[in-house]
Amino acid sequence: FAREEGAWGWSFDSSAEGLVLNYGSTSHNYWNGDFTWEFWVNTTDVDSINVLFGCWVDNGMSGGSYAVGFSADGKINVSNRESSAANQGAFITSATAINDGAWHHIAITQVDDGGSTKYFRIFVDGVLDAYDTETSWTQGTSGQEITIGGLSIIASSYEAARRFTGQLSNWRIVESIVYSTASTTIGATIFTPPTGPLTAISNTRILSCQSNKFVDNSANAYAITSNGNGKTTSFGPFLTTSAYDPAVNG
């Protein structure tokens, strides 16, 4: 059997820089409102800093950056740098480790109250695994790139220590809350993770890491460039019974 379109993964081995998704001139400040980051991850990485994706644009520590990744303990975290130039580091971290060699569905949501406070939740396999508030979340500017499988400090200058080893699949950014809940109870099951490929639902900004080529399947179709590390893989989170089709599987 072969993978259907949307069920593929992208693999990274930390030997070189990752992939770059370029927004071009498009506004990159979708966090000034509700949003959902969502993806599947499979890894056994135990390095001290592992960045799955991020936009770290402040080489001079002037602020405007974020990264989603995990540390040696395998717990998913979100880091940002305040516009005041203070390096805030990880402000929310999951309770559960994900570096056990199994596929895990991760969803990270921000609820914007319209004021200065953002309400963040991390879900691991449908379970609420972390909850916190943030008041200095002012990251990003127009035309900045997002790196996948590593971290670019600025203008494609990478930090080798922050590269990711493992697989990502079905990475989606949506400018709304996909998994809505008012719960703050850690350990509560909120939703059942998807059992098939994600689609470009309403308000989807990015939909990637799901094809056998480096493409963004959202309506925006942002360009993705490989910098030496990253390849497509049929190793994905979804079972398949699809027959091999050269038009789809290459």
Side-chain angles (χ1 to χ4, degrees):
F1 296 104
R3 284 286 174 192
E4 62 183 299
E5 172 62 19
W8 293 72
W10 291 3
S11 182
F12 303 88
D13 63 12
S14 77
S15 64
E17 289 80 3
L19 306 169
V20 174
L21 184 148
N22 198 322
Y23 267 81
S25 60
T26 304
S27 175
H28 191 21
N29 62 348
Y30 56 81
W31 39 76
N32 290 327
D34 297 344
F35 69 74
T36 302
W37 290 326
E38 182 176 8
F39 54 91
W40 288 85
V41 59
N42 185 297
T43 184
T44 58
D45 205 337
V46 292
D47 288 341
S48 59
I49 303 176
N50 307 273
V51 175
L52 302 173
F53 62 92
C55 180
W56 210 259
V57 302
D58 56 331
N59 194 38
M61 297 188 181
S62 58
S65 303
Y66 71 86
V68 176
F70 59 95
S71 299
D73 61 6
K75 298 177 179 179
I76 291 287
N77 60 60
V78 181
S79 302
N80 74 328
R81 179 164 288 160
E82 300 175 7
S83 56
S84 63
N87 189 351
Q88 183 171 320
F91 66 86
I92 185 170
T93 301
S94 70
T96 301
I98 53 83
N99 58 347
D100 57 0
W103 281 104
H104 292 283
H105 178 263
I106 307 298
I108 302 170
T109 63
Q110 172 193 278
V111 174
D112 188 340
D113 69 355
S116 61
T117 302
K118 322 289 186 183
Y119 301 88
F120 278 84
R121 290 173 173 85
I122 298 178
F123 304 91
V124 178
D125 299 325
V127 175
L128 180 58
D129 212 57
Y131 170 79
D132 208 342
T133 59
E134 170 66 10
T135 58
S136 301
W137 185 244
T138 57
Q139 286 60 44
T141 57
S142 297
Q144 296 295 345
E145 62 190 25
I146 293 180
T147 54
I148 312 166
L151 188 62
S152 172
I153 298 304
I154 191 169
S156 298
S157 173
Y158 285 78
E159 282 200 294
R162 299 173 187 263
R163 297 171 186 161
F164 166 62
T165 299
Q167 292 77 38
L168 285 174
S169 184
N170 280 259
W171 170 47
R172 184 170 68 180
I173 294 178
V174 180
E175 292 182 51
S176 61
I177 302 300
V178 177
Y179 305 105
S180 181
T181 180
S183 177
T184 60
T185 302
I186 305 305
T189 298
I190 304 301
F191 62 91
T192 300
T195 57
L198 300 181
T199 60
I201 61 176
S202 179
N203 298 315
T204 295
R205 176 64 69 89
I206 294 171
L207 177 59
S208 198
C209 299
Q210 61 170 193
S211 301
N212 65 342
K213 44 192 173 291
F214 298 137
V215 294
D216 169 26
N217 288 325
S218 77
N220 296 306
Y222 293 121
I224 298 176
T225 303
S226 174
N227 281 337
N229 172 30
K231 59 184 179 181
T232 63
T233 175
S234 60
F235 180 53
F238 312 119
L239 295 176
T240 181
T241 57
S242 299
Y244 175 80
D245 182 350
V248 174
N249 305 117

